Amino acid sequence: MDMLKGSLFELLGTFALIFLVHAQDQSGFISIDCGISEDSSYTDQVTGIYYTSDATFIDTGISNSISPEFKTNSLPQQLWNVRSFPEGINNCYTLRPARGRGNKYLIRAQFMYGNYDAKNQLPEFDLILGVNMLESVQLDNASSVISKEIIHVLSSDYIYVCLVNTDSGIPFISALELRLLDNSMYETQSGSLVRYARWDFGSPYELIRFKDDNCDRFWFPYNSGEWKMLNTSRTIDTDDDNKLQLTSIVMSTAVKPLNTMEPLKFSWESTDPTSKFYIYLYFAEVEELQLNESREFNIFLNGNLWHGPLTPESFEATAMYRISSSISEKFEFSIYKTNSSTLPPIINALEVYLVKQLLQSQTDQKDVDAIMNIKSLYGVKKNWQGDPCAPENYSWEGLNCSYNDYNPPRIISLNLSSSRLTGNITPYISNLTLLQSLDLSQNGLNGPIPDFLSQLPLLRSLNLTGNKLTGSVPVELIERYKNGSLLLSVKSNPELCWPGSCKKKNKFVVPVVVSVTAAFIFLTTLATFWWIRRGRQEVGKVEEMDAEMDSNKRQFTYSEVLTITNNLEKVVGKGGFGTVYYGHLDGIQVAVKMLSQSSIQGYKQFQAEVNYNKFITEM
Ligand SMILES: *[C@@H]1O[C@H](CO)[C@@H](O)[C@H](O)[C@H]1NC(C)=O
Ligand SMILES: *[C@@H]1O[C@H](CO)[C@@H](O)[C@H](O)[C@H]1NC(C)=O
Ligand SMILES: *[C@@H]1O[C@H](CO)[C@@H](O)[C@H](O)[C@H]1NC(C)=O
Ligand SMILES: *[C@@H]1O[C@H](CO)[C@@H](O)[C@H](O)[C@H]1NC(C)=O
Ligand SMILES: *[C@@H]1O[C@H](CO)[C@@H](O)[C@H](O)[C@H]1NC(C)=O
Ligand SMILES: *[C@@H]1O[C@H](CO)[C@@H](O)[C@H](O)[C@H]1NC(C)=O
Ligand SMILES: *[C@@H]1O[C@H](CO)[C@@H](O)[C@H](O)[C@H]1NC(C)=O
Ligand SMILES: *[C@@H]1O[C@H](CO)[C@@H](O)[C@H](O)[C@H]1NC(C)=O
Ligand SMILES: *[C@@H]1O[C@H](CO)[C@@H](O)[C@H](O)[C@H]1NC(C)=O
Ligand SMILES: *[C@@H]1O[C@H](CO)[C@@H](O)[C@H](O)[C@H]1NC(C)=O
């Protein structure tokens, strides 16, 4: 007992410790190692980041390990396993960070093929991060590691990360990471920032990230044969006003041109010439300057003065940033020392972000909630993953959305035809308030047609054909059908009736027509002609809808008929083809018309009358 207590205490102690570490350093992190076994997790030896399995974030895909020859000691553990998606076009992770809508995140996906499928064939596929970043994932070789990153303010409480099969191999993913950023970091007027470059000049390290960088940005070393690497062991003061949370270790290395009279040059080409870039240049003096030494330079972009003159602060970080003023195919920086400067220019770090100006927002939250509820209630078996409407052209199968520039997309049509739906028509549908078209045909839906369908203001087409709906069609839907504002289809719902024909319980409103044969009795639960009080014009009005509704046939055994009519207790009339009895069926008073075996030829005639009059209601 004591031993148990002791180990429990230890366990609790361990948890408390882990929790503390997280609370201090990794709150706002979601770190997912894709493809490791369900329920497993670990703390990365190098970074101390706590990674969990991806199983709780996705329903699809399969786990794989990379081929052993790629599993080197220096390879980060997150890259040892992958989740691949041999099925479905679009497979998505759903992440729900503790701080959702309105918060800024760095979202990163990592990929390393590592011949996990033993096919030695590099796949190519698309990645959707949030809804604004749609990029193709192209790997150079089996050991190259690709990471895609976006800085994005959440417009809803969910983030979707989707892998899209583009017919060029099976999509896969190695790791998925979310890092909460301060909203004041990387401010933009609009849009999200896709990482284009993040260079740590003069760095001798492979990669700098957490814990050196609180935000776990990846800083890649960047050097050139024409440059001299500089470094200092002194800590760089990064407590700047820019709230960029710069990192001393990144700022403590820099480069200068080997030929001190030459400018410092670097450039990149735009893969997206229609987009602008946010450019951040970082400087800090890392050399101890003598009294007779000075460093001052001007920064030119594509031949135009971008900033200057600038003198980096001694062991203190300075950030210069701005959005590129023009769209360009090539961005070429040249940093020239000024005439008075005795020392050549330097640079410590750079970040370049592609601005996704055409901000596409996520689907309206209320629509998302409604469709998610519909999905889980009916257990919809379609490949419904990610955002229902976004990105445009990637909306879920079976629904269409409206898009306009600044409003979130809305669901305007829903087609769940032949989707094996059962149960009632769910009220969740009423929250899809912009619905124009609803197709629920060919399912097993039962219960009444709910009134809320007639409250959907824009509904123009409603198809409920081929279900087991009961009760009567709401009057308002019929009104809208009659005046041509609604295309209504309710065929093949055997127990559905028109208003009045099955509602009133105290009258003979659901007559039962019986044909007695040797083995069973055929009953049709329809209104029959002798209760017609209305004239023929009335009949004409509903005739057109007649086409949309089949005759409602049910078969009863003879003994059931005896039960319904209480052993043919009460005769209420006699027609041309047989006797009519009074009865009770499912709590409704019915008239049972018996068709005698001897008058089979009368049956057809009788049926014709029944069909013609089946919607006539008033007694
Ligand atoms: C794989 O591609 C990367 C670039 O992504 C390159 O640096 C590396 O040398 C390549 N490795 C092999 C084995 O070809
Ligand atoms: C820093 O620079 C010195 C002198 O150039 C060099 O010997 C040393 O290896 C560098 N240290 C790092 C960590 O780059
Ligand atoms: C600065 O002064 C030192 C001696 O104190 C001298 O060696 C050096 O050449 C001078 N540098 C320049 C740029 O004049
Ligand atoms: C710097 O020197 C160059 C030639 O040495 C001269 O053409 C230029 O005008 C000078 N610039 C300034 C700002 O004095
Ligand atoms: C969606 O597809 C249509 C037709 O292919 C195209 O015109 C439109 O630009 C696409 N929209 C987006 C956002 O890609
Ligand atoms: C969505 O729009 C397409 C093209 O207009 C159409 O073919 C399709 O039937 C629509 N889907 C639904 C569910 O209305
Ligand atoms: C719904 O989808 C089915 C096929 O899945 C199609 O036959 C039907 O026309 C669609 N309905 C609408 C309203 O687009
Ligand atoms: C519709 O949305 C509102 C607000 O989001 C919610 O309170 C309500 O429960 C939803 N109704 C249904 C039937 O889901
Ligand atoms: C309703 O759905 C059925 C079956 O899916 C189809 O045959 C019928 O044409 C649809 N009616 C309308 C008006 O779209
Ligand atoms: C059709 O009837 C509905 C319900 O009575 C009404 O709301 C709608 O305005 C009518 N539309 C037209 C075009 O008359």
Side-chain angles (χ1 to χ4, degrees):
M1 195 59 202
D2 273 357
M3 246 180 72
L4 187 64
K5 254 190 200 162
S7 59
L8 250 182
F9 181 77
E10 269 172 37
L11 265 177
L12 287 172
T14 312
F15 284 133
L17 192 66
I18 290 169
F19 177 75
L20 259 181
V21 168
H22 291 176
Q24 278 173 356
D25 296 324
Q26 296 178 37
S27 64
F29 280 25
I30 295 181
S31 308
I32 301 169
D33 185 342
C34 305
I36 61 173
S37 59
E38 211 170 317
D39 299 329
S40 64
S41 62
Y42 62 88
T43 299
D44 186 87
Q45 298 281 306
V46 179
T47 60
I49 295 173
Y50 179 71
Y51 283 90
T52 59
S53 155
D54 59 347
T56 54
F57 302 96
I58 193 156
D59 302 328
T60 53
I62 52 177
S63 297
N64 312 83
S65 296
I66 61 166
S67 178
E69 75 248 41
F70 294 99
K71 231 180 194 177
T72 58
N73 278 343
S74 62
L75 190 72
Q77 192 174 342
Q78 312 67 274
L79 305 174
W80 294 359
N81 297 282
V82 303
R83 179 175 293 270
S84 65
F85 302 96
E87 294 193 9
I89 305 259
N90 195 18
N91 286 278
C92 300
Y93 286 84
T94 305
L95 309 176
R96 223 168 299 187
R99 291 171 65 184
R101 190 194 186 98
N103 287 287
K104 186 173 280 183
Y105 279 88
L106 181 153
I107 310 166
R108 178 171 51 228
Q110 293 196 73
F111 306 89
M112 178 179 145
Y113 171 60
N115 198 23
Y116 77 85
D117 55 1
K119 286 183 184 154
N120 255 319
Q121 203 165 13
L122 295 169
E124 222 180 281
F125 49 91
D126 284 352
L127 167 73
I128 300 173
L129 272 191
V131 292
N132 285 302
M133 180 175 175
L134 173 64
E135 284 213 355
S136 161
V137 176
Q138 290 166 319
L139 300 134
D140 292 328
N141 54 52
S143 55
S144 62
V145 180
I146 298 268
S147 66
K148 302 273 182 183
E149 231 179 70
I150 190 167
I151 293 175
H152 175 60
V153 177
L154 302 198
S155 61
S156 84
D157 293 338
Y158 306 85
I159 302 172
Y160 301 109
V161 177
C162 304
L163 298 129
V164 186
N165 190 321
T166 54
D167 265 348
S168 316
I170 293 169
F172 73 91
I173 183 168
S174 305
L176 191 51
E177 295 158 325
L178 243 76
R179 308 293 180 237
L180 180 66
L181 302 182
D182 195 290
N183 273 2
S184 61
M185 293 176 75
Y186 300 104
E187 280 189 321
T188 60
Q189 279 159 351
S190 67
S192 306
L193 299 177
V194 172
R195 187 196 73 213
Y196 207 75
R198 193 181 290 119
W199 295 339
D200 181 6
F201 291 98
S203 169
Y205 311 105
E206 233 171 75
L207 177 75
I208 287 176
R209 60 177 297 190
F210 193 78
K211 294 173 183 165
D212 293 316
D213 187 316
N214 284 335
C215 311
D216 196 26
R217 282 164 292 198
F218 281 8
W219 295 91
F220 299 93
Y222 199 81
N223 295 298
S224 150
E226 291 170 18
W227 300 338
K228 181 168 170 35
M229 289 160 73
L230 302 171
N231 73 59
T232 177
S233 54
R234 281 181 61 174
T235 302
I236 306 292
D237 180 2
T238 55
D239 190 18
D240 61 334
D241 300 331
N242 302 311
K243 305 197 178 81
L244 288 163
Q245 302 210 19
L246 294 173
T247 303
S248 175
I249 190 157
V250 168
M251 294 305 298
S252 68
T253 61
V255 292
K256 64 180 179 187
L258 277 177
N259 179 342
T260 57
M261 297 314 288
E262 286 293 311
L264 192 62
K265 283 190 173 181
F266 50 87
S267 64
W268 66 89
E269 271 163 34
S270 172
T271 53
D272 185 355
T274 59
S275 290
K276 291 192 171 184
F277 289 92
Y278 259 97
I279 300 164
Y280 297 76
L281 304 184
Y282 304 116
F283 303 95
E285 184 55 76
V286 292
E287 293 187 301
E288 305 270 3
L289 300 197
Q290 305 302 313
L291 280 173
N292 61 353
E293 288 178 326
S294 67
R295 193 188 314 273
E296 189 185 57
F297 47 80
N298 287 310
I299 306 164
F300 294 85
L301 172 58
N302 293 342
N304 301 312
L305 185 66
W306 192 77
H307 184 81
L310 177 77
T311 294
E313 302 273 347
S314 215
F315 304 99
E316 191 180 325
T318 302
M320 300 306 317
Y321 55 91
R322 83 173 53 141
I323 189 167
S324 57
S325 53
S326 63
I327 286 161
S328 181
E329 279 174 14
K330 189 163 186 190
F331 290 80
E332 196 165 24
F333 272 97
S334 316
I335 307 181
Y336 289 89
K337 78 178 194 69
T338 60
N339 287 354
S340 57
S341 176
T342 65
L343 297 174
I346 59 166
I347 186 165
N348 304 58
L350 157 154
E351 285 182 279
V352 178
Y353 291 96
L354 196 126
V355 185
K356 290 278 175 180
Q357 279 289 12
L358 280 176
L359 182 80
Q360 183 166 39
S361 37
Q362 288 177 268
T363 305
D364 180 82
Q365 187 68 50
K366 232 174 140 179
D367 279 8
V368 172
D369 292 343
I371 201 76
M372 288 293 195
N373 285 331
I374 292 166
K375 178 188 170 187
S376 69
L377 178 77
Y378 290 128
V380 175
K381 293 283 181 290
K382 292 182 195 293
N383 192 2
W384 275 12
Q385 297 191 41
D387 189 283
C389 299
E392 197 176 339
N393 296 346
Y394 286 84
S395 68
W396 287 356
E397 173 199 350
L399 53 83
N400 280 344
C401 305
S402 66
Y403 301 92
N404 71 36
D405 288 350
Y406 297 104
N407 296 324
R410 300 290 308 264
I411 296 170
I412 57 167
S413 73
L414 176 61
N415 187 349
L416 283 172
S417 174
S418 307
S419 302
R420 299 194 197 145
L421 312 186
T422 54
N424 293 346
I425 296 179
T426 172
Y428 294 135
I429 290 173
S430 67
N431 268 4
L432 297 174
T433 49
L434 293 195
L435 216 51
Q436 297 171 9
S437 163
L438 177 63
D439 190 341
L440 299 174
S441 63
Q442 309 301 353
N443 286 297
L445 294 168
N446 56 31
I449 299 179
D451 280 332
F452 63 73
L453 290 177
S454 42
Q455 258 100 68
L456 287 170
L458 303 178
L459 197 65
R460 289 202 300 255
S461 166
L462 176 62
N463 196 340
L464 302 173
T465 298
N467 283 288
K468 298 179 201 149
L469 298 168
T470 54
S472 66
V473 182
V475 180
E476 271 192 66
L477 286 179
I478 295 176
E479 290 293 310
R480 284 165 72 172
Y481 171 82
K482 280 189 196 165
N483 72 14
S485 61
L486 177 70
L487 194 62
L488 177 65
S489 207
V490 293
K491 255 187 182 170
S492 304
N493 283 281
E495 286 170 59
L496 196 62
C497 39
W498 295 96
S501 72
C502 53
K503 236 167 36 188
K504 297 176 184 164
K505 298 203 171 185
N506 294 328
K507 292 180 185 174
F508 295 161
V509 288
V510 182
V512 177
V513 183
V514 180
S515 150
V516 185
T517 66
F520 62 86
I521 296 168
F522 186 74
L523 258 119
T524 309
T525 55
L526 294 170
T528 55
F529 62 97
W530 56 86
W531 283 296
I532 304 166
R533 291 272 161 84
R534 292 208 168 172
R536 284 198 143 239
Q537 296 130 294
E538 267 314 295
V539 176
K541 272 192 189 168
V542 286
E543 237 174 10
E544 52 191 334
M545 305 175 78
D546 196 314
E548 298 294 352
M549 200 153 156
D550 278 356
S551 60
N552 303 318
K553 295 192 185 75
R554 276 172 72 181
Q555 287 188 346
F556 297 91
T557 62
Y558 186 63
S559 63
E560 280 174 329
V561 170
L562 292 181
T563 312
I564 292 166
T565 59
N566 197 17
N567 291 319
L568 310 174
E569 184 189 21
K570 193 168 154 192
V571 175
V572 292
K574 257 187 198 296
F577 328 106
T579 315
V580 182
Y581 298 93
Y582 173 84
H584 283 275
L585 176 61
D586 299 338
I588 299 168
Q589 297 179 75
V590 297
V592 178
K593 187 173 184 185
M594 304 282 273
L595 182 67
S596 67
Q597 249 173 324
S598 60
S599 61
I600 296 297
Q601 99 283 7
Y603 176 68
K604 274 196 177 136
Q605 193 185 344
F606 164 73
Q607 234 193 351
E609 281 173 348
V610 165
N611 278 337
Y612 181 75
N613 293 300
K614 66 188 172 188
F615 303 124
I616 307 312
T617 56
E618 289 287 321
M619 281 192 59

